[in-house]
Amino acid sequence: MHTPGNAHHVGRRSVLAGAFAGIGLGAIHRAEADVQERVGDDSPIARKDPIKITKLETFPVKPRWLFLKVHTNAGIVGLGEPIVEGRAETVATAVKEIEPYLVGKDPRQVVHHWQAIYRHAFYRGGPILTSALSGIDMALWDIKGKALGVPVYELLGGPTRNRVRVYAHTSTPARIKEQLALGFTAFKTGPAKRRASRYVETPPRSITRPERFGELRKAVGDEIDLAIDFHGAISPATAKLMIKAFEPYQPMFIEEPCQAQNHDVMAEIARGTHLPIATGERVFTKWGFREVLEKRAATILQPDLCHAGGITEVRLIAGMAEAYYATVAPHNPLGPISLAAGVQIAASIPNFLCQEQVSLGEGYLKKPFVVRDGYLDLPTGPGLGIELDEAALVGKIGHDWKNRETYDLDDGSVVDW
């Protein structure tokens, strides 16, 4: 067995052959030439050296995340983040059920394993199985990059940009000024609602205060991007009225103006406004996003690396979006492993807009991400380019986070949150 410490050197040709085997992406020769300038003869693992997966380990991490480690006999450990918010134990069980397939296999056949895990399930897809697959896919790409000694974006054709823009969640003028001082230049907020929305609201100001969004816009000026997320909790009839109320403030995009599973309704809303519509956090795989694109339901796609199929699938979704002149803003209200995977995608696609984040990794990563003028520098480390701070994680293991339960204050009926 060869470990990173004793692996013999290997030529560039064999490294590149391993890097692109089965990847299924276009312009392989161009990508190969690009990687030749970056992959040296000092890769930790030679292509012909055996690497076998030995076990999959999941552990819940506060506040509501689930981390994955895919261990190998070569001493390389891949990191992933398979999670459905509020269903961490369910997804951990799904990962455990997939483990027998992976143990003993070479982790470097990333796309082959994606296909096997997805297609060998008679009941394919859905949030649980696709999220389990997503986290595993991240970890396998992490292993492959570490084995070759290059970032994942190098395996996807090399960088298309030299830094990655990120946005923060915000709420008040005071808070947004604090975040500006931290280096952010793009933000997302929610509508300031007086109460839960009913199916029909006339006028929309009876439930929301669009002038609150105007206060944020006034606080940051016209040079800062400011988006708004309806969170899919507004009926189509009311969403149309609310969008009209927000149009004067020029939000960067309107996210999930209504329940996103009905792409026909989303397309109707998109046709009724000049503002960009964004959706995707609850859409899975290339097949789900195909319908969004074909129906013109959104011009900003927000696939979540933890839910939509991991790096393998989101790279393909981005290619589909490019053909429809749509852009990609990866969804991520989760942890730093998810952020690291999103950054690798952002670094390798041409139609990237902005990356969502809620944690730069402080207290979780040995080297957290740093925002400079609204951007993150491209990671230079191999694989996902991150390393967990195991000592800092000790006090963060375990959580019992559950989804919010919300009810109408007037009649007690269930409402979306």
Side-chain angles (χ1 to χ4, degrees):
M1 179 181 72
H2 293 275
T3 66
N6 63 17
H8 59 268
H9 293 327
V10 63
R12 290 184 178 183
R13 184 177 299 275
S14 60
V15 171
L16 292 166
F20 294 102
I23 200 167
L25 302 177
I28 295 300
H29 293 299
R30 182 184 301 174
E32 181 173 329
D34 186 72
V35 173
Q36 280 183 340
E37 298 303 317
R38 296 168 171 82
V39 178
D41 291 331
D42 58 351
S43 303
I45 301 293
R47 174 58 185 163
K48 294 183 180 180
D49 284 353
I51 308 179
K52 302 297 180 184
I53 295 171
T54 56
K55 69 174 181 178
L56 278 66
E57 176 188 8
T58 59
F59 48 103
V61 178
K62 291 181 177 61
R64 61 173 188 170
W65 307 331
L66 183 70
F67 287 177
L68 167 68
K69 292 181 178 179
V70 175
H71 297 266
T72 69
N73 63 351
I76 297 176
V77 177
L79 300 176
E81 197 167 337
I83 183 65
V84 173
E85 295 88 318
R87 296 290 185 267
E89 293 182 7
T90 308
V91 179
T93 300
V95 171
K96 192 68 177 177
E97 291 172 340
I98 296 170
E99 183 178 34
Y101 161 75
L102 285 169
V103 168
K105 291 187 170 65
D106 190 326
R108 294 169 291 191
Q109 292 181 272
V110 182
V111 175
H112 176 74
H113 295 320
W114 195 103
Q115 291 287 323
I117 293 169
Y118 187 84
R119 292 167 60 189
H120 288 164
F122 183 76
Y123 296 98
R124 299 178 181 179
I128 301 299
L129 293 180
T130 312
S131 297
L133 171 56
S134 297
I136 290 170
D137 182 80
M138 292 180 205
L140 298 185
W141 277 110
D142 192 28
I143 292 170
K144 190 175 185 75
K146 288 173 177 175
L148 294 171
V150 296
V152 169
Y153 61 76
E154 296 288 6
L155 306 180
L156 300 177
T160 55
R161 53 187 37 84
N162 53 31
R163 56 180 186 167
V164 171
R165 197 178 189 201
V166 290
Y167 70 83
H169 293 192
T170 196
S171 54
T172 66
R175 176 58 181 153
I176 205 169
K177 288 178 180 178
E178 292 174 357
Q179 293 166 310
L180 284 168
L182 294 175
F184 290 100
T185 61
F187 303 90
K188 186 172 75 178
T189 189
K193 293 198 292 186
R194 291 179 168 89
R195 55 171 171 76
S197 171
R198 300 189 182 102
Y199 191 85
V200 175
E201 298 282 359
T202 54
R205 282 178 173 77
S206 62
I207 63 158
T208 189
R209 300 178 177 91
E211 66 275 5
R212 291 286 184 88
F213 188 87
E215 292 171 3
L216 292 178
R217 170 59 71 200
K218 183 177 179 180
V220 300
D222 293 335
E223 300 301 317
I224 298 299
D225 286 317
L226 185 59
I228 188 164
D229 183 3
F230 286 12
H231 212 245
I234 309 297
S235 72
T238 299
K240 292 178 182 179
L241 295 172
M242 286 180 58
I243 290 172
K244 291 296 183 185
F246 283 97
E247 282 180 352
Y249 304 109
Q250 291 291 302
M252 178 167 61
F253 57 77
I254 303 287
E255 179 175 340
E256 285 198 334
C258 64
Q259 272 295 318
Q261 282 80 2
N262 193 326
H263 301 315
D264 286 312
V265 173
M266 289 280 288
E268 179 184 343
I269 290 174
R271 287 192 295 269
T273 179
H274 61 272
L275 297 176
I277 299 298
T279 191
E281 66 181 87
R282 288 179 277 188
V283 180
F284 315 113
T285 74
K286 64 180 79 69
W287 293 284
F289 282 94
R290 174 189 59 79
E291 187 176 357
V292 175
L293 291 166
E294 288 180 348
K295 294 183 176 180
R296 307 296 202 275
T299 54
I300 299 173
L301 302 190
Q302 298 173 300
D304 191 307
L305 273 290
C306 297
H307 304 320
I311 291 171
T312 295
E313 195 72 348
V314 173
R315 179 65 181 84
L316 298 177
I317 291 166
M320 293 167 59
E322 184 184 4
Y324 282 84
Y325 302 99
T327 188
V328 176
H331 178 260
N332 176 33
L334 296 164
I337 300 176
S338 174
L339 175 59
V343 167
Q344 297 293 329
I345 282 290
S348 63
I349 63 174
N351 53 332
F352 167 74
L353 178 67
C354 205
Q355 170 69 54
E356 182 177 18
Q357 61 77 46
V358 296
S359 170
L360 296 171
E362 297 94 338
Y364 298 93
L365 303 180
K366 287 188 175 180
K367 292 183 179 180
F369 291 94
V370 177
V371 180
R372 295 186 179 89
D373 299 323
Y375 292 81
L376 306 179
D377 293 333
L378 292 192
T380 57
L384 295 180
I386 58 172
E387 186 177 358
L388 294 179
D389 187 337
E390 302 287 354
L393 282 176
V394 171
K396 300 182 178 70
I397 302 300
H399 67 79
D400 57 358
W401 191 89
K402 302 295 182 185
N403 289 291
R404 190 184 310 165
E405 297 179 8
T406 52
Y407 303 90
D408 188 277
L409 294 177
D410 295 326
D411 65 11
S413 60
V414 173
V415 296
D416 293 320
W417 66 279

